[in-house]
Amino acid sequence: SNWSGPDDLQASYAAVWDYNYLYLGVKVYDDKYVQNATGQDMYKGDSVEVLLDADLYNDFYTNKLSPDDYQLGISAGAGGSSPEAFLWFPSNVAGSRSSQVTTGFATEDGLYRIESRIPWSVFGVTPYAGMHLGLAVSVSDNDNTSANEQQTMVSSAPYRNLLDPTSWREIVLSK
């Protein structure tokens, strides 16, 4: 309800892979970059979120989270600090992944770019060509410099529901 159109927030992404990493590049058009939150609260500022279903074949029609569904947040960092990554789900392995996920960040007037190298081990995945995964890449936005809040989110899955992996998209790893 806070989204005022593409001048407020829009994003695109590209992903490639090898047998060790998922490489994710996200270009975000944002009228104001605001990130004061850290760790598990990073979504309350400008940040990227990756939802990944690591076992799509075995739970394709399951509309609730299972232990093979992952939610990873990536932030360029708060107030000029280092980039960080935080895993929310599965909750039994939740916590910082900043030491594992390598992230670069660049800004231009009205946009920012985040590029991350994410080890497949973060998602418990041994990738192979032809593998099908569930995926949604989303961007959170906060334009309020005095409060940590998620005002808006846009996603590659237009009907994205965090708790329902059937609302995410499907990707296929190809050579």
Side-chain angles (χ1 to χ4, degrees), residues 77-154:
S81 65
S82 298
E84 63 176 326
F86 191 89
L87 188 71
W88 289 284
F89 293 110
S91 56
N92 65 319
V93 294
S96 176
R97 295 298 183 273
S98 299
S99 64
Q100 295 168 281
V101 176
T102 305
T103 299
F105 177 78
T107 60
E108 299 173 37
D109 189 34
L111 72 91
Y112 66 92
R113 300 171 195 267
I114 289 182
E115 295 181 2
S116 294
R117 183 178 73 178
I118 307 164
W120 285 111
S121 60
V122 167
F123 301 122
V125 168
T126 302
Y128 58 88
M131 183 178 205
H132 292 246
L133 300 165
L135 181 74
V137 177
S138 307
V139 178
S140 293
D141 185 34
N142 178 14
D143 290 336
N144 185 349
T145 58
S146 61
N148 294 336
E149 56 189 4
Q150 182 186 50
Q151 294 179 323
T152 306
M153 174 181 272
V154 296

Side-chain angles (χ1 to χ4, degrees), residues 39-50:
Q40 68 183 13
D41 290 332
M42 76 170 60
Y43 72 95
K44 296 178 181 177
D46 292 352
S47 58
V48 172
E49 179 183 294
V50 179

Side-chain angles (χ1 to χ4, degrees), residues 20-42:
N20 297 308
Y21 299 98
L22 173 65
Y23 301 91
L24 181 68
V26 183
K27 182 164 108 177
V28 181
Y29 291 93
D30 188 355
D31 59 337
K32 184 186 290 187
Y33 180 80
V34 177
Q35 179 54 284
N36 299 312
T38 60
Q40 68 183 13
D41 290 332
M42 76 170 60

Side-chain angles (χ1 to χ4, degrees), residues 50-65:
V50 179
L51 300 174
L52 189 127
D53 183 346
D55 191 15
L56 189 64
Y57 277 139
N58 287 319
D59 61 7
F60 189 79
Y61 296 106
T62 304
N63 63 356
K64 60 182 180 180
L65 292 176

